[in-house]
Amino acid sequence: MIFNYENIKKIKSSLSFPSQLFINGKYQNSITEKSFENTSPIDGNIINKINFAHQDDIDLAVLKAREAFNNGYWLNLSPAERKKVLLKFATLLERDRLELSLLDTIDMGKTINDTYNADLPTSIDNVEWYAEIIDKLFDDISPSSNEYMGLITKEPIGVVAAIVPWNYPLWMAVWKIAPALITGNSVILKPAEQSPMSAIKIGAMLSEAGLPDGVFSVLPGDGPITGKSLCLHNDIDCVAFTGSGEVGKLVLQYSGQSNMKRVQLECGGKSPNIVFADCQDLDAAAEASAYAIFGNQGEVCSAGSRLIVQKEIENDFVEKVYELSKNMQPGDPFDPKSFAGAIVNTEQLDKINKYVNIGKKEGASVQTGGNITMKETGGCYFEPTIFKDVKNNMRIAQEEIFGPVLTTLTFSSFEEAITIANDTEYGLAAGVWTKDINKAIKASREIRAGTVYINNYEEGVDSTIPLGGYKQSGIGRDNGYQALENYLQVKSTWIKIT
Ligand code: NAD
């Protein structure tokens, strides 16, 4: 298929919008017959009504997931056989790439260019990567005395609930379900209420790929009812969560209030992006810095939302970012040439607007942007916004806005830059721009964040490198070998040799 505006519009007009729960290998309505309206932020129109999973649906999905796990339909397949199923799933994702991309674009407003050229290829790569490694991993034998053989093996944890956000609907789901499934678990996916359609669609695709019934379910619904009930369920062994820190803390509490299920958390960030005056290529740094906050409408957990620039280059550098921001305005999300699309919904749009007003009241100055735009569409759009004269104790420098709003801070010394960078409750990512390798390594060691980008920002996202947070940005990791650990437990077996 040629990826152009005409073809996109053609496929869009014949698209069907999934709306049901997926349990035990088939689609069904919610037992309570409850539903919620699914609205597109592109134009404010209602797309469809989505079935809303309540306790009875959750109990049924958990029962089927547990049965499938206990029966070993999936778990007892050899890793090489499980690999084939996920590799087939990857080919189906490629087959339905445009359809899935459109579902995510329509649901949450990001551009078709982002969904088709970034989210889908990276999701496919992630599925392939986990499929490919599973039959190349070995367990351990302990260096115990000759009287014993100690086997240290890894086993799937059981039934996993994956609760995911809306900013990369399919991609964030795949980050959980690919490692959880490949290790032999049963998985129940709860997509965000703002972006459920691609998640619902992949239910049937996993069955088509050969996944046994019951191993994978999709339960659309909201957080306070569906998400909370999953977290409190006594027959779920692990909740793998991506979302806000506020909800992440609730998930930990729910675990304590129920069966002490394992909790993995990927939460928010307020990531520093430090530009030293000795940066070799300030144009490249400016481009990456602009992309790091205006890409995906700024709705990125690891967005470089705090630009920390050495004083002597501040004016020139911010001017460069400002110039670049002119070409990073939102546009029609279906146009492959648009850089940015719509903000996910009116609540998020209001939140961004509220923070801009807070920033102004706190005494920061708006260099550019600061306004809701494209109102004539009926959708939710916000201009790329740059704040100057920001102090790190201001709310706009401390709290996650999750929109295209950049706060600019300055520093004089290396120590001051690191102090500002670390002065936040978050620790997800950071950027460092300098030609001095010693400074770069020292900064990377001293910044308390799960990922540090040196002379780039988020250019190298791939499945091999773990992503996750220090401090209140999370517990555990997505991606890499490390993500497998979220879904495995360690078994020690002592064998006496007589
Ligand atoms: P959110 O916390 O509001 O919701 C995330 C998910 O949790 C949704 O599915 C929601 O329905 C569910 N949920 C809400 N309340 C719940 C409850 N009481 N119990 C159980 N589940 C509940 O977050 P969001 O607005 O969807 O996403 C934005 C947040 O996600 C940002 O903070 C962003 O930084 C974070 N995020 C982090 C990463 C990462 O890898 N660290 C990636 C993407 C997004």
Side-chain angles (χ1 to χ4, degrees):
M1 214 261 338
I2 300 165
F3 183 67
N4 63 25
Y5 210 179
E6 289 315 307
N7 271 335
I8 290 163
K9 281 196 282 193
K10 203 159 80 194
I11 305 274
K12 188 179 140 231
S13 63
S14 60
L15 206 58
S16 59
F17 299 124
S19 65
Q20 289 181 295
L21 316 184
F22 184 80
I23 300 176
N24 203 28
K26 56 180 192 300
Y27 288 111
Q28 60 179 65
N29 288 339
S30 156
I31 295 167
T32 54
E33 296 187 349
K34 293 214 163 79
S35 61
F36 62 93
E37 273 177 2
N38 189 23
T39 306
S40 177
I42 292 175
D43 50 18
N45 289 335
I46 295 167
I47 308 161
N48 61 356
K49 283 195 166 182
I50 301 279
N51 276 264
F52 190 153
H54 280 65
Q55 193 65 49
D56 286 349
D57 306 299
I58 293 165
D59 287 342
L60 179 64
V62 174
L63 178 75
K64 295 298 167 191
R66 178 63 60 190
E67 278 175 10
F69 187 74
N70 288 347
N71 288 335
Y73 299 144
W74 174 239
L75 158 69
N76 290 339
L77 292 180
S78 69
E81 284 170 306
R82 274 185 263 140
K83 165 169 119 175
K84 280 186 203 149
V85 173
L86 280 212
L87 286 179
K88 177 75 196 296
F89 177 52
T91 66
L92 300 179
L93 289 173
E94 183 60 50
R95 181 195 68 190
D96 296 346
R97 179 171 163 191
L98 184 56
E99 200 177 329
L100 287 160
S101 304
L102 277 164
L103 292 177
D104 278 355
T105 291
I106 292 166
D107 251 352
M108 63 72 67
K110 69 199 294 178
T111 67
I112 190 70
N113 185 43
D114 278 355
T115 49
Y116 188 80
N117 289 320
D119 295 15
L120 259 291
T122 44
S123 299
I124 293 166
D125 174 74
N126 202 265
V127 172
E128 287 172 345
W129 195 78
Y130 282 107
E132 289 290 357
I133 56 170
I134 200 63
D135 60 352
K136 294 158 192 81
L137 299 175
F138 294 80
D139 287 322
D140 297 319
I141 296 179
S142 71
S144 305
S145 79
N146 277 346
E147 262 181 279
Y148 298 96
M149 180 178 277
L151 303 183
I152 304 161
T153 52
K154 289 185 179 160
E155 299 181 344
I157 192 159
V159 177
V160 174
I163 300 180
V164 296
W166 45 260
N167 61 334
Y168 296 93
L170 185 67
W171 195 16
M172 293 301 100
V174 162
W175 276 9
K176 308 291 189 200
I177 66 178
L181 284 175
I182 203 67
T183 41
N185 296 284
S186 295
V187 178
I188 298 169
L189 172 63
K190 194 206 89 62
E193 50 275 42
Q194 299 86 346
S195 57
M197 293 197 293
S198 60
I200 300 173
K201 184 172 163 57
I202 61 168
M205 293 169 72
L206 274 158
S207 290
E208 188 183 346
L211 196 72
D213 291 351
V215 175
F216 183 70
S217 317
V218 185
L219 298 181
D222 72 356
I225 294 175
T226 315
K228 181 176 176 183
S229 307
L230 283 166
C231 295
L232 285 170
H233 205 291
N234 280 317
D235 208 19
I236 287 179
D237 302 293
C238 168
V239 171
F241 170 84
T242 300
S244 62
E246 196 187 339
V247 176
K249 287 180 185 179
L250 289 176
V251 176
L252 286 168
Q253 288 177 28
Y254 300 148
S255 168
Q257 286 162 16
S258 54
N259 60 343
M260 216 195 275
K261 57 180 65 65
R262 185 184 292 173
V263 172
Q264 184 251 340
L265 301 176
E266 290 289 343
C267 297
K270 192 76 187 177
S271 298
N273 183 23
I274 305 173
V275 185
F276 288 98
D278 67 357
C279 166
Q280 187 144 11
D281 186 347
L282 285 171
D283 289 332
E287 199 172 336
S289 302
Y291 195 86
I293 185 64
F294 302 134
N296 209 54
Q297 306 76 237
E299 296 165 321
V300 183
C301 54
S302 51
S305 51
R306 285 188 303 146
L307 179 63
I308 306 176
V309 198
Q310 196 148 7
K311 251 186 197 127
E312 56 258 49
I313 58 164
E314 185 203 2
N315 286 339
D316 286 353
F317 191 77
V318 176
E319 186 64 25
K320 283 181 198 289
V321 177
Y322 162 60
E323 284 301 322
L324 289 158
S325 74
K326 291 180 185 169
N327 292 324
M328 295 182 166
Q329 303 295 326
D332 174 2
F334 298 114
D335 182 345
K337 294 198 191 75
S338 293
F339 175 83
I343 301 296
V344 68
N345 58 17
T346 47
E347 287 82 10
Q348 187 62 20
L349 190 70
D350 291 346
K351 181 180 164 193
I352 297 167
N353 208 24
K354 183 191 87 180
Y355 270 108
V356 169
N357 290 327
I358 289 172
K360 288 179 191 164
K361 279 200 196 112
E362 285 179 313
S365 51
V366 177
Q367 161 99 6
T368 185
N371 299 302
I372 293 173
T373 180
M374 292 172 63
K375 286 184 189 164
E376 69 288 355
T377 60
C380 306
Y381 300 85
F382 205 87
E383 294 173 342
T385 301
I386 302 176
F387 271 111
K388 281 183 81 177
D389 307 317
V390 179
K391 304 269 176 300
N392 203 41
N393 59 3
M394 291 179 178
R395 285 183 67 189
I396 55 164
Q398 287 293 323
E399 297 172 21
E400 189 184 41
I401 300 172
F402 221 55
V405 180
L406 181 65
T407 55
T408 310
L409 301 120
T410 58
F411 67 92
S412 303
S413 66
F414 177 87
E415 290 71 25
E416 193 188 1
I418 302 297
T419 303
I420 295 172
N422 283 334
D423 181 16
T424 156
E425 69 188 33
Y426 296 111
L428 192 57
V432 176
W433 297 84
T434 172
K435 68 176 175 211
D436 180 342
I437 184 72
N438 296 307
K439 200 191 275 181
I441 292 171
K442 209 162 161 256
S444 168
R445 285 182 181 164
E446 292 186 18
I447 293 171
R448 297 191 62 215
T451 299
V452 179
Y453 301 103
I454 308 281
N455 294 327
N456 76 97
Y457 201 99
E458 274 188 336
E459 282 161 29
V461 178
D462 72 24
S463 305
T464 64
I465 299 191
L467 186 138
Y470 280 29
K471 301 193 279 183
Q472 292 188 41
S473 287
I475 300 172
R477 293 289 178 271
D478 279 331
N479 288 335
Y481 287 102
Q482 289 75 4
L484 297 170
E485 307 292 334
N486 301 327
Y487 311 107
L488 291 167
Q489 48 197 346
V490 176
K491 167 79 58 76
S492 300
T493 308
W494 285 87
I495 305 167
K496 182 149 190 178
I497 300 159
T498 51

